[in-house]
Amino acid sequence: MASKASPTQEMTFRFCSSSVGALFAETITLPTDVAKTRMQVQTTLKYTSLLNCLTTIKREEGLAALWKGIEPALVRQVSYSGLSLVLFEPVRNGYSSLFRSKEGEPSFIERLLAGGTAGALSITVFNPTEVVKTQIMTSTTPQTMFGVVRRVHAKDGILGFWAGLVPNISRTFLVNAAELGTYDQAKSMLIPHVGEGFAAFLGASTIAASVSAAVSTPVDVVKTRMMNKAGDETAIQYKGMIDGLIKTSKEEGVMALYIH
């Protein structure tokens, strides 16, 4: 009979498996991330849709441009996903100890808080990789990781790599709350009508993804713009997340916050 894996072995396995999965997923989906990022930072209408953005980048900059920023993107995704997964269980257990005196399954609220906290801690550590990734993706000329690092550090110092951190953390919490909370609620409402099968899970997932995008996209737009302006002496900086939301909606209209 095989011996049970130790907590350390289980944590190592979760980290490695999640990192490999994140690496493949990020590589495949990076072109859409490049297009989304370009559309989020544009203040005049150059790209009219996701497809138009992808084809324009390919035509003007070449096919390889659709994978701009792949190095920091892979570092960010593998590290963030792995660390979030590793942190989730001990954070969840910590919330369980804090909120409950008796043993039992963690509550939905505890899982929700644990997911948000683990994500927030991880994204805080790896925010610099997002700053570098964003600036490489939005540039129409070739950029290197070290070139961006030097420019940001020369202008804003070490804190420049944590530009957009508050909206980044806010987005993480919003995504977790919307996806987990909406999915659970939608599934419970659909099951009486369609049964506890594929239709219920597909419907709940679709609703959760739509709600998550609706509540997190405005913050994501501000986050991307703040990161893209780090180290730029000529850029008009936002004072913070709220200032970015207000200025964007006032100057470009509310729908500018839903560019994705």
Side-chain angles (χ1 to χ4, degrees), residues 178-255:
E179 286 185 348
L180 293 175
T182 307
Y183 175 83
D184 191 61
Q185 181 65 30
K187 187 175 70 172
S188 67
M189 294 175 68
L190 287 170
I191 286 176
H193 301 285
V194 300
E196 190 171 357
F198 177 74
F201 293 110
L202 178 62
S205 297
T206 302
I207 293 170
S210 300
V211 172
S212 175
V215 300
S216 66
T217 297
V219 179
D220 194 28
V221 170
V222 174
K223 176 211 76 172
T224 300
R225 291 186 174 193
M226 291 177 71
M227 289 180 172
N228 193 51
K229 292 175 181 179
D232 187 347
E233 296 181 355
T234 63
I236 299 175
Q237 302 286 348
Y238 297 139
K239 296 176 182 178
M241 182 177 70
I242 302 301
D243 182 56
L245 291 169
I246 293 173
K247 282 185 177 177
T248 301
S249 58
K250 183 182 295 185
E251 296 171 4
E252 303 170 48
V254 174
M255 290 311 298

Side-chain angles (χ1 to χ4, degrees), residues 64-145:
L66 294 175
W67 277 268
K68 278 187 172 182
I70 189 169
E71 297 91 346
L74 291 180
V75 172
R76 181 265 185 206
Q77 191 65 14
V78 170
S79 302
Y80 166 76
S81 300
L83 184 58
S84 295
L85 192 62
V86 168
L87 289 176
F88 176 77
E89 189 172 325
V91 171
R92 184 198 63 196
N93 293 341
Y95 278 123
S96 296
S97 300
L98 180 65
F99 294 133
R100 290 184 293 118
S101 57
K102 59 182 181 180
E103 295 295 325
E105 284 295 313
S107 68
F108 172 68
I109 295 298
E110 289 164 3
R111 294 179 191 275
L112 187 65
L113 288 172
T117 302
L121 292 172
S122 300
I123 210 66
T124 298
V125 174
F126 296 109
N127 198 79
T129 61
E130 289 216 46
V131 172
V132 176
K133 179 191 77 168
T134 298
Q135 296 207 10
I136 293 176
M137 285 181 170
T138 57
S139 176
T140 56
T141 58
Q143 299 285 334
T144 65
M145 287 180 61

Side-chain angles (χ1 to χ4, degrees), residues 32-52:
T32 58
D33 194 18
V34 171
K36 180 202 75 170
T37 303
R38 291 280 185 100
M39 293 178 71
Q40 286 181 335
V41 300
Q42 69 176 356
T43 54
T44 56
L45 191 61
K46 176 179 181 180
Y47 308 116
T48 57
S49 67
L50 181 66
L51 180 60
N52 173 259

